Amino acid sequence: MTKTRLLISLLLFHSALGFAQDPMGYRVSGRIYPAENQTPGTPIPDIGVVPRPARGNVARLTGAAGGGGSIDVSAFIGPDGSFEFRNVPAGSYQVMVNPAPSLLPVNVTVRDRDVNVQIGRPWVHVAGTVTVEGGGPIPPFLLDFQSLTASNEPDPGGQRMLAQAGQAFSIDLPAGLYRVNVNDLPAEFLIRSITQGTARLDGQPLRLNVGEFPEIAITLEPGTPSPWVRVSGRVTGAAAAGVRTVLLRGPALISPLSASVSSEGSFEFPRTPAGRYEARLIPALIAFPQMLVVGNVDLTGVTLKTPVAMELAGEFVRIEPGVFLMGCPPATPTTQRCDASELPVHRVGITKRFEIGKFEVTQAQWEAVMGNNPSSSRGPSKPVDSVSWEDAQEFILRLNALDPDYRYRLPTEAEWEYAARAGSAAADVEAPESDAYGWFNTNAGGESHPVGEKRPNAWGLYDMRGNVQEWTEDWLDEAYYASSVELDPTGPASGQQHVLRGGAYTFHPDASRRTSRRAASAVTGFRLCREPIRK
């Protein structure tokens, strides 16, 4: 047999033994499962059913080769979620997905064959009911599905959900092991058993496998009930004289508890179960709940303070008197054409010092004062929107009832433009620099943004352009500038609608000039002015 025939025979024999070694190494291939269905935690190797794969991103292989040296290579993930590394030498590696912070790396050992890798934890739908034995009716409570490792140790991840005894529930969880806990009950209720199909778990972890639609039944029984204790205290603050009732709400109560407030401001709840409560003062000019935590002993000396306006109105910037040219200056090749309502340019003097909000009034401020949130683009630190001029006046009325030292109001149109210009004579900041100062339809992504994320103007005021339009005190008259008074103008004596300034995240930057004047639209908010009450 010639040397050539001998070599061919050896290669065929090597292949027949099942070795898949390439001349320079092995293949490490695999599939990434959908990033939107992942939580941190231990990968589950025996999931059985293959979920829909992810798309995009890059797979990365790093580690130490057995013969010395390190490996750090990347491969694109295909449309079906698959990836492949070729010619990988024997060694110990990690395969990770970039970017995908919720997908944990998988350890891979390459020895004498190709390796297939699976990254990701598909989710399982869980539905069931909760019943209570011997405890009577109870309020809603939290079911806590705590993720566990294969050795029953706590693992990052898991979810909580609000449940009600006697009612069905459903939740989606990543495949794996879970311990089910019950939280926020009036007394410590114990899980007596969990039944999954015909399997009674009785304190054992709940295993969720892919391909299942688990139906589970959770049975609770009361442990040692917590004692009922006395809660007492006093209402204080500027508006305390008007408070008649203290109301407690919390998960330990089926219905709220109420206690009368004496003429001296004292109150008492003689029997209160342990728990966490929201205390409200009735009647209250503002919806400003305070939190109480009640334990197993009497809680006395509680102070419920009626807030002052300064705690709710935010930060202010002091603006000194001055003179400026109000209106849109003549158009140039780099400035937006002036609207007729912004002409003529005229001299205005601001003769009195005033303070104006550093930021637009936020949704958190609005909810604390008004008890609701009308905004279409939700977020506590975003400016409140969808507010009418009359709504803004009601907000201000409630603040003024709480503050003996300041009077709050909307800025006049002249004050607003004077503050927005901050000493500038231009109609606005020119593109592309304008993006640094405001949120518009060119950069906002179709929603408002938390106040103060862009640069302030020269006087330290944020979002004077874009984000939401801001109400002013003045009536709108498009011809008013021709007859405006020179010192401290306050606008026409009457009208049909008030002036909005500053543009919004739905506007183009050119339509959000410092000088532009608008009537009502959907994206309306405001910022406050205040001045001291002189005694």
Side-chain angles (χ1 to χ4, degrees):
M1 182 180 294
T2 65
K3 290 184 179 180
T4 301
R5 289 179 179 176
L6 177 62
L7 178 59
I8 292 173
S9 298
L10 288 173
L11 288 174
L12 290 173
F13 177 73
H14 186 273
S15 176
L17 290 177
F19 292 99
Q21 184 175 14
D22 287 341
M24 298 179 62
Y26 303 91
R27 295 184 183 183
V28 176
S29 59
R31 181 163 289 179
I32 310 298
Y33 294 109
E36 65 268 24
N37 284 352
Q38 310 306 323
T39 61
T42 304
I44 306 298
D46 55 345
I47 63 168
V49 178
V50 177
R52 178 174 60 85
R55 301 182 64 177
N57 296 353
V58 172
R60 183 180 175 193
L61 178 78
T62 61
S70 61
I71 299 291
D72 189 347
V73 292
S74 297
F76 285 110
I77 300 171
D80 63 347
S82 64
F83 62 89
E84 183 177 277
F85 299 96
R86 294 192 178 190
N87 302 326
V88 178
S92 297
Y93 307 98
Q94 275 194 337
V95 179
M96 65 191 72
V97 181
N98 186 24
S102 63
L103 293 176
L104 296 184
V106 172
N107 294 324
V108 173
T109 300
V110 178
R111 288 196 182 97
D112 56 0
R113 58 177 54 87
D114 294 346
V115 178
N116 187 266
V117 179
Q118 174 183 284
I119 299 180
R121 297 174 64 181
W123 284 33
V124 178
H125 188 71
V126 181
T129 57
V130 180
T131 59
V132 178
E133 290 189 356
I138 59 175
F141 52 89
L142 287 176
L143 280 181
D144 184 2
F145 291 82
Q146 181 185 35
S147 183
L148 302 174
T149 65
S151 59
N152 293 347
E153 296 296 324
D155 199 31
Q159 291 191 58
R160 283 185 166 190
M161 65 168 297
L162 190 66
Q164 175 72 60
Q167 296 183 4
F169 70 86
S170 64
I171 188 171
D172 292 312
L173 295 165
L177 290 175
Y178 293 87
R179 191 176 305 283
V180 184
N181 301 305
V182 177
N183 297 299
D184 288 354
L185 287 176
E188 183 184 5
F189 275 68
L190 307 176
I191 294 181
R192 178 175 176 182
S193 66
I194 301 176
T195 304
Q196 180 178 348
T198 59
R200 196 176 180 87
L201 302 180
D202 288 320
Q204 297 301 312
L206 176 68
R207 174 176 279 278
L208 302 178
N209 296 315
V210 175
E212 295 178 339
F213 189 99
E215 291 285 342
I216 67 175
I218 299 174
T219 302
L220 307 178
E221 63 179 0
T224 304
S226 300
W228 291 54
V229 300
R230 180 171 65 97
V231 177
S232 61
R234 183 175 297 276
V235 178
T236 65
V243 177
R244 297 290 178 265
T245 304
V246 176
L247 200 67
L248 292 185
R249 289 193 180 99
L253 300 171
I254 296 175
S255 59
L257 294 178
S258 64
S260 298
V261 179
S262 71
S263 57
E264 293 82 24
S266 62
F267 64 89
E268 178 177 301
F269 294 89
R271 282 172 49 80
T272 309
R276 183 177 177 86
Y277 297 96
E278 178 187 89
R280 288 185 180 269
L281 306 179
I282 309 295
L285 290 171
I286 61 172
F288 191 71
Q290 298 165 67
M291 301 308 299
L292 290 181
V293 178
V294 179
N296 295 335
V297 297
D298 290 349
L299 182 62
T300 60
V302 174
T303 300
L304 300 178
K305 182 182 177 182
T306 58
V308 297
M310 290 180 66
E311 297 171 344
L312 304 165
E315 299 180 61
F316 288 81
V317 173
R318 178 178 293 179
I319 306 298
E320 298 295 335
V323 177
F324 74 107
L325 292 178
M326 187 171 181
C328 184
T332 70
T334 58
T335 61
Q336 170 68 16
R337 176 184 58 83
C338 302
D339 292 336
S341 64
E342 301 169 54
L343 299 171
V345 176
H346 55 291
R347 178 185 171 93
V348 169
I350 303 296
T351 66
K352 301 175 183 177
R353 173 192 298 164
F354 65 96
E355 294 182 48
I356 190 168
K358 178 183 286 189
F359 309 104
E360 295 163 322
V361 171
T362 67
Q363 293 173 37
Q365 290 172 266
W366 181 271
E367 287 190 34
V369 174
M370 304 295 285
N372 59 50
N373 188 349
S375 304
S376 58
S377 181
R378 293 294 185 95
S381 58
K382 291 182 175 184
V384 66
D385 67 66
S386 307
V387 173
S388 70
W389 187 87
E390 289 75 17
D391 292 336
Q393 295 297 332
E394 177 63 24
F395 179 96
I396 290 168
L397 180 67
R398 297 188 185 195
L399 285 184
N400 283 332
L402 295 173
D403 199 333
D405 299 321
Y406 284 92
R407 183 178 77 89
Y408 297 87
R409 60 178 176 82
L410 294 176
T412 66
E413 202 182 357
E415 288 172 334
W416 191 97
E417 186 170 325
Y418 179 59
R421 285 180 174 276
S424 172
D428 232 322
V429 179
E430 297 177 7
E433 191 181 356
S434 61
D435 271 359
Y437 291 89
W439 294 108
F440 314 107
N441 63 5
T442 54
N443 65 357
E447 62 180 356
S448 65
H449 289 256
V451 300
E453 287 191 339
K454 293 293 187 177
R455 292 183 194 170
N457 70 8
W459 288 352
L461 302 174
Y462 292 82
D463 299 301
M464 293 299 287
R465 300 178 60 227
N467 227 2
V468 298
Q469 292 188 96
E470 300 179 15
W471 287 113
T472 66
E473 198 68 45
D474 299 18
W475 289 105
L476 175 64
D477 179 351
E478 294 188 355
Y480 174 71
Y481 281 8
S483 59
S484 172
V485 298
E486 182 173 335
L487 299 180
D488 302 315
T490 57
S494 62
Q496 295 185 345
Q497 48 195 340
H498 291 83
V499 182
L500 286 159
R501 286 299 202 117
Y505 71 87
T506 56
F507 287 27
H508 191 274
D510 289 345
S512 302
R513 299 182 301 280
R514 299 183 184 113
T515 59
S516 62
R517 311 170 71 209
R518 301 286 182 213
S521 75
V523 189
T524 54
F526 64 102
R527 76 178 67 219
L528 295 168
C529 274
R530 74 176 185 185
E531 52 197 19
I533 298 174
R534 307 191 185 282
K535 299 181 179 180

